[in-house]
Amino acid sequence: MDPDHDERLDKLSLIIIARGDCDARGMERARRIATESGQRLDRVLIKLGLVTERGLVDAYAELLDIRVAETARFPSEPLFKERLSSRFLRYVRAIPIAVEADHVTLAVSDPLDRFTSATISAAVGLPVVLEVAVPIELEAAFDRIYPNVAPDGEGAPSDPDGDNIEEDAERLKDLASEAPVIRLVSQIISRAVEERASDIHFEPFEDRLRVRYRHDGVLHEVDSHPARLTPAIISRVKIMSRLDIAERRLPQDGRIKLAVRGQDIDLRVSTIPSLHGENVVLRILDRGTVSLNYEALGLAPAVVSRLSKALHLPNGIVLVTGPTGSGKTTTLYTGIIELNAIMRKIATVEDPIEYQIPGITQTQIKPLIGLTFAHVLRSILRQDPNVIMIGEIRDLETAQIAVNGALTGRLVLSTLHTNSAASSITRLRDMGLEDYLITAVLRGVLAQRLVRRLCEACRTRVMAPRELVDRFDLERRCGSKAVWLWRAVGCPHCRETGYRGRLAVAEFLSPDANIEAMIFARADQSEIERAAVAAGMVTMLEAGLAAALIGTTTIEEVVRTLSGDG
C-alpha cells in the first residue's frame, strides 16, 4: 500500500471517530488487526461491525469531498453498454450513473480504489467524477440495470425450457446455495440490521420480488429483484431457518441465529403461500437495539409508578394490552427484569421466547407436540414460582389456570389483545371468566400503543391550526391561547421520514372498590373507563396529545396510531 493511501486511511479513521461512529479504543483494535492481517483498515472496521456501511460511506464522502450516490439517480438502462463490460463493472463494483459533456459520473463502493476510475475514464474517453454508494444499494442497482449478470461473474438462475423450477427441491437447494444468492440475502439482512428495521418482508409478484423493511412501525420498499430470482432467494431464507424447502403449500415458522457486523441477531421467520410464491417475513430480534427500561420505552412517570406498584404486589394478575406490534412483550420483559432477584423464582411461558434473560426459567410452547400454554402452566405451578409470565391469555383454560396461580399466592403477568385497559375486563368476561374471579385477582391493566418519535434533527415548530385546537381542546391542555405544535420534515438522520424511533403512550387502570362494584354489575367498557378516568387514569389519547404538545411526536401520528390505521 502506498504512503498516500496510508495517509488517506489515517484521515478516514479520524473522521470516523469525530463523527462518533467508532471510539478510539475500537479504532486501535481495528488498526492492530489490519496490520497483522495485511487488510485495509476500512474493510476491517466493517468486518468487525465497528462501523456500519452507511457510516463508512458518509466518512468517505467527507474525506474526499464527494457526494453520496442517491438511489433515485441510478439509470434505468446501462450506460456505455458497448464500451464497459457488465461483468467488469460488477467485479469492480462501479456503475456509470450520468454523462455530461465533459465528464461521466461514476458510483463506486470503494472511492479509494484509483484503478477503477482510471480504467473507466480511459475506456469511455472522459474524465470521471466519483460518487460513493452504499454497497447494498449498488448491488440492488446492478440487479435492476444488469439483470443477466450475477455477482462473481456467475450466471443467474434461469429457466430456459419453461419448466417450473419450484417443483424441483434439489434444484432449489442448488440455486439457494449459489454464492450470488447467499451474498444477496446476507446483504438484505445486514442492511436491515444496520438501519434498525424491525421486520423484513419478501413479497413475490408476477414480475418481481419486492423487499420491504418496517421502520418504526411503517413499511418502506427498499429493493426489487427480478421474478426469476424469487425461488432462489426464498429457498435461501428457508434453508437458513431450517424449514422444508419442498413444502410450499402450507405456512411454516422457523428461526435464524447469525452474527451481523459483530452483533448476535435472532430472526423469527414466517412463510405463507401466495399467488406468485411464498411470502416470507423475518422479525429481527436484536437485544442490542432494545432498551429494557421504562425511560427508553417513553412511558410517563405516573404510569410507571402505578405499574411498578402493581408489579411489587405479592399476588394477583397484571395485564398489558394492545394490538400486535404495540410493544406489550417489551414492557413485560422490562417489568420482569425489575423483579428479577435471588429471592424470587420467575418462570415464563412464551410463544416464542424473544429475548433470553439470565436467572429466569423460560419455556417455549410447542403445540404440535401438545406443549400448550395450559399444559406448561400446570407443570410450572407445581414448581412453586413467585412470578409467572404468560406470553398471552388466549382462551378460557389458560385464563383459569392463571387465576388459579394468582389465587394461590403467585404474581401472574400476561398480555391480551384488546384496544383499551377497560375492554380487557369485558374480554376476560367474554372468555367465560366469572366476575368474582376477575375482581379477586386483577391488580392492574396497562394498555399501550407505540407512536413514532419526531426526529430532533429536523422537526419544525409551527402554529397549531384552529381546527385542531378546537377538536382536541388544546388551549385547555397547554394553558395558553397560543398553541404550538411540531411538524415532521425529513433529513438523512431519519431516512427523510421526519421520525426516528418510537415511544409508548399508555393508560393504566387500577381496579378500585367502585370499579369492582361495576364489574359485578356487569357494566360495559365505556362505563368502566369513565370510572377509571374519574379515579385518576390518564387515557392513551390524553397521553399522546401531551407528547405532541412537547414536541416528542405529532398529533397526526397519535390519531393514526390510536385509530388503528397504522
Side-chain angles (χ1 to χ4, degrees):
M1 192 178 294
D2 61 72
D4 184 45
H5 210 120
D6 284 336
E7 183 181 349
R8 281 184 166 189
L9 288 175
D10 287 339
K11 290 180 180 178
L12 183 71
S13 66
L14 294 176
I15 290 171
I16 290 171
I17 292 173
R19 289 172 54 87
D21 293 331
C22 178
D23 58 23
R25 179 185 240 170
M27 187 63 69
E28 186 54 41
R29 175 187 168 208
R31 284 183 185 280
R32 186 170 61 253
I33 294 174
T35 302
E36 293 171 355
S37 63
Q39 300 178 70
R40 271 177 39 179
L41 176 62
D42 49 350
R43 292 173 182 168
V44 170
L45 287 168
I46 286 290
K47 288 180 180 178
L48 293 177
L50 296 173
V51 176
T52 66
E53 286 186 340
R54 181 72 204 195
L56 185 60
V57 163
D58 291 338
Y60 281 143
E62 184 174 338
L63 171 71
L64 303 174
D65 193 23
I66 59 178
R67 292 177 57 177
V68 174
E70 299 174 357
T71 54
R73 299 186 63 234
F74 283 91
S76 56
E77 298 290 336
L79 301 179
F80 302 105
K81 191 173 182 178
E82 303 301 322
R83 300 188 190 183
L84 296 174
S85 161
S86 55
R87 295 188 184 277
F88 167 74
L89 292 175
R90 173 78 81 170
Y91 176 76
V92 298
R93 303 180 82 184
I95 298 178
I97 61 174
V99 183
E100 306 292 342
D102 58 346
H103 71 271
V104 56
T105 303
L106 188 69
V108 297
S109 62
D110 181 6
L112 300 183
D113 178 13
R114 294 173 173 173
F115 165 78
T116 297
S117 56
T119 303
I120 291 177
S121 177
V124 302
L126 287 171
V128 164
V129 173
L130 292 182
E131 291 188 11
V132 58
V134 178
I136 185 67
E137 294 177 356
L138 199 68
E139 291 290 340
F142 265 119
D143 290 334
R144 186 177 67 254
I145 302 169
Y146 305 99
N148 298 318
V149 179
D152 301 332
E154 299 184 25
S158 60
D159 185 22
D161 298 323
D163 296 327
N164 187 351
I165 58 176
E166 293 189 17
E167 296 302 320
D168 185 353
E170 291 304 316
R171 174 59 177 157
L172 283 176
K173 287 182 181 178
D174 291 340
L175 290 176
S177 300
E178 291 178 355
V181 174
I182 292 173
R183 177 183 297 176
L184 178 59
V185 172
S186 296
Q187 287 173 336
I188 291 171
I189 294 174
S190 296
R191 180 182 176 188
V193 173
E194 287 181 0
E195 295 185 2
R196 295 177 179 265
S198 61
D199 304 86
I200 307 171
H201 291 246
F202 294 91
E203 301 165 321
F205 295 96
E206 184 178 6
D207 59 341
R208 63 182 178 129
L209 175 68
R210 181 172 70 180
V211 180
R212 294 196 288 176
Y213 294 165
R214 189 181 295 279
H215 291 288
D216 301 330
V218 178
L219 283 169
H220 302 271
E221 183 170 346
V222 293
D223 276 323
S224 183
H225 301 283
R228 59 186 171 76
L229 290 178
T230 296
I233 291 173
I234 299 302
S235 295
R236 175 60 190 165
V237 174
K238 292 173 74 173
I239 287 172
M240 293 173 70
S241 50
R242 299 186 178 183
L243 300 179
D244 182 0
I245 67 170
E247 178 56 76
R248 296 177 296 280
R249 301 165 301 170
L250 298 173
Q252 297 187 68
D253 294 296
R255 196 160 191 152
I256 300 172
K257 291 187 177 183
L258 72 165
V260 177
R261 307 292 186 232
Q263 299 172 260
D264 290 328
I265 305 296
D266 278 1
L267 298 106
R268 279 167 44 190
V269 182
S270 173
T271 74
I272 189 169
S274 67
L275 181 62
H276 298 292
E278 290 175 281
N279 267 276
V280 179
V281 177
L282 279 64
R283 175 81 184 276
I284 301 172
L285 305 174
D286 179 6
R287 175 66 185 271
T289 64
V290 177
S291 298
L292 297 178
N293 64 74
Y294 296 125
E295 185 177 352
L297 291 174
L299 288 173
V303 171
V304 172
S305 175
R306 300 179 80 178
L307 173 61
S308 184
K309 182 179 178 180
L311 290 177
H312 283 85
L313 293 173
N315 56 62
I317 294 179
V318 178
L319 298 174
V320 179
T321 77
T324 301
S326 60
K328 300 186 299 295
T329 304
T330 302
T331 298
L332 276 184
Y333 273 120
T334 305
I336 285 286
I337 288 173
E338 180 181 331
L339 295 174
N340 194 10
I342 293 295
M343 72 281 297
R344 290 191 186 96
K345 178 174 178 62
I346 302 176
T348 73
V349 189
E350 305 174 60
D351 181 26
I353 297 171
E354 294 197 8
Y355 301 105
Q356 297 178 21
I357 304 176
I360 291 176
T361 302
Q362 296 176 266
T363 304
Q364 178 167 326
I365 70 165
K366 296 179 181 178
L368 290 177
I369 61 171
L371 198 64
T372 62
F373 275 116
H375 188 183
V376 177
L377 278 172
R378 289 191 190 94
S379 300
I380 281 179
L381 288 175
R382 290 194 288 270
Q383 297 206 345
D384 194 29
N386 301 102
V387 180
I388 303 171
M389 187 190 96
I390 306 170
E392 181 187 348
I393 294 178
R394 300 177 178 175
D395 51 44
L396 177 60
E397 185 180 16
T398 305
Q400 288 173 330
I401 298 172
V403 167
N404 183 50
L407 290 173
T408 53
R410 282 93 173 182
L411 180 68
V412 180
L413 314 179
S414 190
T415 69
L416 277 178
H417 283 104
T418 62
N419 292 325
S420 68
S423 62
S424 63
I425 294 171
T426 54
R427 174 76 177 113
L428 292 173
R429 184 187 291 156
D430 290 343
M431 283 184 182
L433 208 60
E434 292 86 349
D435 292 332
Y436 75 91
L437 289 177
I438 296 174
T439 58
V441 299
L442 192 62
R443 300 292 180 260
V445 184
L446 176 79
Q448 70 176 53
R449 299 288 191 281
L450 294 178
V451 298
R452 292 183 292 172
R453 292 179 186 265
L454 275 169
C455 174
E456 294 187 3
C458 64
R459 64 179 183 174
T460 300
R461 194 165 179 248
V462 295
M463 183 74 76
R466 189 71 235 173
E467 55 269 25
L468 278 182
V469 174
D470 294 339
R471 178 182 175 187
F472 296 107
D473 195 14
L474 298 181
E475 288 178 349
R476 175 181 61 81
R477 288 179 171 85
C478 67
S480 66
K481 291 188 177 181
V483 180
W484 292 87
L485 295 172
W486 296 81
R487 181 169 59 86
V489 178
C491 68
H493 293 284
C494 57
R495 302 178 304 278
E496 305 298 335
T497 63
Y499 298 93
R500 188 172 185 178
R502 290 193 288 177
L503 76 152
V505 293
E507 60 190 26
F508 191 88
L509 186 153
S510 300
D512 57 15
N514 183 37
I515 291 176
E516 288 179 1
M518 296 181 73
I519 295 173
F520 277 116
R522 303 193 68 80
D524 62 26
Q525 65 187 55
S526 59
E527 293 176 289
I528 294 173
E529 181 169 302
R530 284 195 294 270
V533 170
M537 183 181 82
V538 177
T539 66
M540 282 186 286
L541 177 60
E542 292 285 343
L545 293 176
L549 286 170
I550 64 173
T552 309
T553 187
T554 62
I555 285 184
E556 293 81 3
E557 177 66 10
V558 171
V559 172
R560 179 190 70 85
T561 305
L562 295 185
S563 67
D565 294 337

